[in-house]
Amino acid sequence: MMERVSFTIDGKKVTGYKGQTVLQVARDNNIYIPALCFDDEVKPYAACRMCLVQVKKGKRVKLVTACDYPATEGIEVTTNSEIIEKCRKVVLQLLMARCPNLPKLKEIAEKLGVEEQPRFVKANDDCILCGLCVRVCEDVVGVYAIGFEGRGFTRRVCTPFDEESPSCIVCGACSYVCPVDVIPIEQKDGYRIMERWHKKSKLIPCPKCGNYYLTEDQLKFLKEKTGLPEEELTICPDCR
Amino acid sequence: MIELDLEKIKRDVAEVFERYGRDPARMIEILQDLQDIYHWLPKELLKEVSRQTGVPLTRVYHMATFFKAFSLKPRGKYVIQVCTGTACHVKGAYMVLDQLKNVLGIDVGETTDDLMFTLETVNCVGACALAPVVVINDYYHGYVTPGKVESLIKEYREQQ
């Protein structure tokens, strides 16, 4: 049995398990905290700073990121106050200045009632550098196909040397988790193509229904990982 | 095009990796030592480092691009830094720089094809009394005039 912890979020009493984060408990209790760089499957990274909340522990109140703050017995969490709103607004405005044309960001901005700050010089980027794709590629898929390059102003996500990655299996996990949907994935003429990573791989049809389900590189990777015969792996989940 | 000896790269990486007890956690030291040998980090070398240490290439690449001390572009055996700070500027640093560009046939930030010289500018080296100053691999040359440039370069060429 896992140890339970109880605390309050916005005055409401909630309980979670030890090892969960404040954000996870809030989501389990249908309390909305905006967050971009968080996914249950990977370790919290606290990169996007959207999930800022105030935590009162004993006498001290501090601003923390809910996605990596451990659920602790007796803390008082506030998800909405003047100072949080102010911080969140600037964070979102900075993100919008970095990536001016992201529908997903505009959606959140509308929800939170934040407008673009004209004073912030607009850059022409589309990646918010949350690192979710990189972390999923490393920790969930385990192929290390993409990573960061450089630092500070010139930091970006790419394959090594920005060339076709030999280790990418074109699984599309990065595209799936991207919170702002900027990793396009396309299936055309029997190939699955990921333009951003300069990689394409031939699709293999399911022997039962004929639907495309995995790529050649994926199959090779799965065969090495699981040691299962090819025939078993190529059957799509619907036909299994 | 710079020719790289892949066999030599393999040997050098193995030797440096051995030096650090085959510990991939000492990647920065490994890359530093390799840069001391090659003066820069060629693509093939980083791939070889990844292969031998077992550290994913994305990680090696991130480290190599993160730190300013590492260069992924060719750098020469001798790095020539022309001071263009206020004092040197007034004393004609740009004339010296132009002469260096002529003699070496490269622009600022570039490296000669024989991988001997890299030309850079710096904003002040704190030796204004010697203006104009040219620093070559940490050796300070003071009172440089455009006329002295050619013999200076010749000196370094013959040194090796």
Side-chain angles (χ1 to χ4, degrees):
Chain A
M1 188 61 194
M2 279 171 99
E3 204 184 319
R4 292 188 79 102
V5 283
S6 53
F7 55 98
T8 62
I9 300 179
D10 292 337
K12 190 184 154 200
K13 203 166 180 273
V14 293
T15 40
Y17 295 102
K18 202 169 184 175
Q20 276 189 307
T21 67
V22 169
L23 181 65
Q24 282 173 317
V25 178
R27 284 189 175 175
D28 289 346
N29 287 280
N30 287 323
I31 296 164
Y32 176 71
I33 298 173
L36 292 167
C37 72
F38 182 78
D39 193 286
D40 278 319
E41 297 301 321
V42 286
K43 269 190 247 158
Y45 195 56
C48 73
R49 319 305 290 181
M50 283 298 296
C51 64
L52 284 173
V53 292
Q54 267 174 316
V55 165
K56 190 177 176 200
K57 193 179 176 188
K59 274 184 187 164
R60 290 184 54 181
V61 183
K62 53 185 173 179
L63 264 182
V64 299
T65 40
C67 68
D68 68 344
Y69 196 87
T72 317
E73 186 70 39
I75 54 171
E76 289 169 41
V77 181
T78 317
T79 66
N80 248 318
S81 71
E82 206 177 311
I83 186 154
I84 294 170
E85 245 170 58
K86 219 167 142 187
C87 291
R88 223 177 246 165
K89 186 176 144 192
V90 176
V91 166
L92 194 53
Q93 282 173 337
L94 285 167
L95 285 177
M96 283 199 289
R98 183 187 167 84
C99 317
N101 300 314
L102 290 183
K104 281 271 162 140
L105 280 186
K106 284 183 184 152
E107 224 172 81
I108 296 170
E110 211 163 285
K111 195 165 177 178
L112 299 176
V114 174
E115 276 169 18
E116 273 178 33
Q117 166 63 268
R119 192 164 57 81
F120 294 161
V121 179
K122 283 205 173 77
N124 191 23
D125 211 326
D126 60 355
C127 172
I128 59 164
L129 295 177
C130 70
L132 242 189
C133 49
V134 176
R135 284 176 289 143
V136 163
C137 191
E138 289 181 359
D139 300 341
V140 180
V141 188
V143 297
Y144 297 88
I146 48 173
F148 287 108
E149 176 198 271
R151 63 165 156 184
F153 196 67
T154 55
R155 186 178 168 99
R156 67 194 196 102
V157 174
C158 65
T159 55
F161 310 102
D162 217 355
E163 291 175 344
E164 178 181 325
S165 160
S167 50
C168 176
I169 56 170
V170 205
C171 64
C174 48
S175 173
Y176 177 77
V177 293
C178 180
V180 287
D181 291 339
V182 290
I183 308 173
I185 182 162
E186 200 185 359
Q187 301 208 149
K188 205 170 75 181
D189 307 328
Y191 281 92
R192 188 184 288 162
I193 307 152
M194 300 203 75
E195 188 81 52
R196 209 175 172 113
W197 317 135
H198 320 289
K199 181 90 178 187
K200 66 176 184 177
S201 186
K202 207 168 178 201
L203 284 159
I204 300 168
C206 164
K208 287 196 178 164
C209 64
N211 282 341
Y212 288 136
Y213 144 67
L214 84 176
T215 65
E216 254 175 7
D217 289 304
Q218 258 179 307
L219 181 65
K220 212 174 121 209
F221 176 75
L222 288 171
K223 240 163 74 181
E224 265 169 39
K225 264 262 143 100
T226 59
L228 289 170
E230 216 169 275
E231 303 77 55
E232 230 169 280
L233 291 166
T234 46
I235 299 169
C236 76
D238 295 338
C239 298
R240 251 172 232 168
Chain B
M1 230 5 243
I2 298 148
E3 294 270 335
L4 287 165
D5 181 354
L6 291 178
E7 286 306 311
K8 184 178 183 302
I9 286 181
K10 262 185 201 158
R11 278 198 310 275
D12 286 338
V13 172
E15 197 200 312
V16 171
F17 192 32
E18 204 62 54
R19 198 179 298 161
Y20 292 104
R22 303 186 66 79
D23 181 5
R26 307 195 52 184
M27 184 56 74
I28 290 173
E29 284 118 307
I30 293 169
L31 292 180
Q32 270 175 336
D33 281 16
L34 286 167
Q35 178 150 298
D36 279 346
I37 302 172
Y38 292 87
H39 310 293
W40 64 296
L41 300 172
K43 192 196 289 180
E44 283 69 24
L45 182 122
L46 291 179
K47 285 182 179 168
E48 189 57 35
V49 169
S50 164
R51 214 171 292 138
Q52 290 196 24
T53 58
V55 175
L57 185 59
T58 47
R59 287 281 173 85
V60 178
Y61 181 67
H62 186 196
M63 260 180 260
T65 53
F66 186 89
F67 295 102
K68 262 210 162 151
F70 297 130
S71 172
L72 271 75
K73 274 197 281 179
R75 271 167 75 90
K77 190 174 170 193
Y78 300 108
V79 178
I80 304 173
Q81 294 175 314
V82 181
C83 179
T84 54
T86 313
C88 291
H89 180 97
V90 171
K91 285 276 200 167
Y94 278 92
M95 292 194 303
V96 174
L97 185 62
D98 282 343
Q99 184 62 15
L100 273 166
K101 282 187 204 168
N102 278 338
V103 171
L104 297 170
I106 52 171
D107 215 333
V108 175
E110 290 178 354
T111 302
T112 51
D113 286 340
D114 58 359
L115 291 184
M116 282 293 284
F117 298 103
T118 296
L119 189 59
E120 285 174 356
T121 60
V122 284
N123 285 328
C124 186
V125 293
C128 307
L130 301 175
V133 181
V134 171
V135 187
I136 305 182
N137 277 14
D138 296 330
Y139 189 88
Y140 287 57
H141 299 268
Y143 311 115
V144 184
T145 56
K148 284 186 192 165
V149 163
E150 206 159 354
S151 60
L152 192 63
I153 295 298
K154 210 175 151 201
E155 218 176 277
Y156 275 94
R157 274 233 162 91
E158 279 164 4
Q159 236 180 55
Q160 56 151 359

